[in-house]
Amino acid sequence: MHRSSYDTEPAYGDGSAYAGPPLPGRRRRLVIAVAASLAALVVTAVGVDRFAAGHAESRTARAFQDGMDTPNRPSVHVSGFPVLTQLASGTLRHVDITAHDIPAHGSARPLPITRLTIGVDDLKASGDAGEARARAVDATAFLSYGDLSDALGLRLSQDSEPGRVRAAADLPLGGEVTVSAAVSAVSGNRISFTDFHAADGALSGPAQALLGSIFADPIPLRNIPDGLRLRSLTPTASGVDARFTGRTVTFRPDSPNA
């Protein structure tokens, strides 16, 4: 019986039969299996790294709360992937910290910080227990008018002129005086109120003396990590934003400025 060439499998020189290309279904299953394996490895790696990041964030939050004596743990976010390699090197490339209600101790006119937002570059532990140091820090502290009013002993609000606040005080013999005052940053991380003038009319002698004594001494911010310097103050509708920058900033428990 004659066999067609289509019925005969071609052979190589060694006599083995040519199996032909993989079937489309087999190839598809192979690709899917490889992709699934790679995806599982990526998910596992990301999960492990996220666990390490969470642990680092929790430790940083606990240390910051202990050092700054805040009532609640701050929010901490460690940036960059992978975090495991950063931890292995001992330096976190960038950390964002947001803390609330930082108290002010050791001041005759305590001024707590309503909210402190810190961006930290190259944070690493130092040789001393509980200390950490950062190469550079950019921070903004929000100071509410309520806390500023309590520290000064008068009532503060935003003024219509940029860079100024409105202050109202009760006079010793009755009545009230309202003035506009410029807000500025001075050395030693202090807030100064200067160039005050009556909002309406002229200031009387007693009013001038009262406000002069209230504004005579700048208010220090004692609850700021070592190495941060107050650069600018911006009055807003609900309070004053204080901007800080620093190089080689130290975070430590019981800091002199804490």
Side-chain angles (χ1 to χ4, degrees):
M1 176 179 175
H2 175 73
R3 295 184 64 187
S4 167
S5 60
Y6 292 105
D7 298 328
T8 306
E9 294 182 347
Y12 291 105
D14 60 358
S16 62
Y18 173 62
L23 297 177
R26 290 177 56 194
R27 188 185 306 125
R28 194 160 45 244
R29 287 193 297 272
L30 178 61
V31 170
I32 291 174
V34 172
S37 299
L38 291 175
L41 288 174
V42 169
V43 169
T44 300
V46 171
V48 171
D49 199 73
R50 188 58 251 173
F51 178 82
H55 183 64
E57 290 165 354
S58 178
R59 290 185 59 188
T60 302
R62 184 168 59 253
F64 191 93
Q65 183 183 22
D66 292 343
M68 304 303 289
D69 196 24
T70 59
N72 300 301
R73 290 276 174 90
S75 168
V76 177
H77 177 69
V78 176
S79 301
F81 180 84
V83 173
L84 280 171
T85 57
Q86 298 179 54
L87 292 172
S89 69
T91 300
L92 298 175
R93 290 197 296 270
H94 185 83
V95 180
D96 291 305
I97 304 171
T98 301
H100 295 84
D101 303 321
I102 301 175
H105 302 306
S107 175
R109 293 188 293 177
L111 176 57
I113 293 176
T114 306
R115 182 180 65 253
L116 181 64
T117 304
I118 306 177
V120 182
D121 291 328
D122 296 336
L123 179 67
K124 61 182 177 180
S126 71
D128 297 332
E131 272 194 13
R133 293 180 181 173
R135 177 182 58 80
V137 175
D138 197 313
T140 300
F142 174 72
L143 312 168
S144 71
Y145 284 131
D147 289 334
L148 282 165
S149 297
D150 291 340
L152 286 169
L154 41 72
R155 298 177 296 280
L156 287 184
S157 60
Q158 186 180 27
D159 193 64
S160 57
E161 294 184 55
R164 301 179 71 88
V165 295
R166 185 157 290 216
D170 295 325
L171 296 174
L173 299 179
E176 181 182 280
V177 60
T178 301
V179 300
S180 171
V183 185
S184 59
V186 293
S187 62
N189 288 346
R190 297 178 300 164
I191 302 174
S192 178
F193 298 86
T194 58
D195 186 30
F196 61 91
H197 56 76
D200 298 304
L203 289 175
S204 65
Q208 187 82 28
L210 173 64
L211 292 168
S213 64
I214 292 175
F215 293 137
D217 297 321
I219 300 178
L221 289 171
R222 299 190 181 278
N223 39 5
I224 298 298
D226 290 344
L228 281 180
R229 295 292 175 264
L230 180 59
R231 304 300 183 186
S232 64
L233 294 162
T234 305
T236 68
S238 54
V240 175
D241 285 335
R243 183 174 179 270
F244 298 82
T245 61
R247 296 280 179 180
T248 315
V249 177
T250 302
F251 300 86
R252 66 164 64 94
D254 301 322
S255 168
N257 287 339

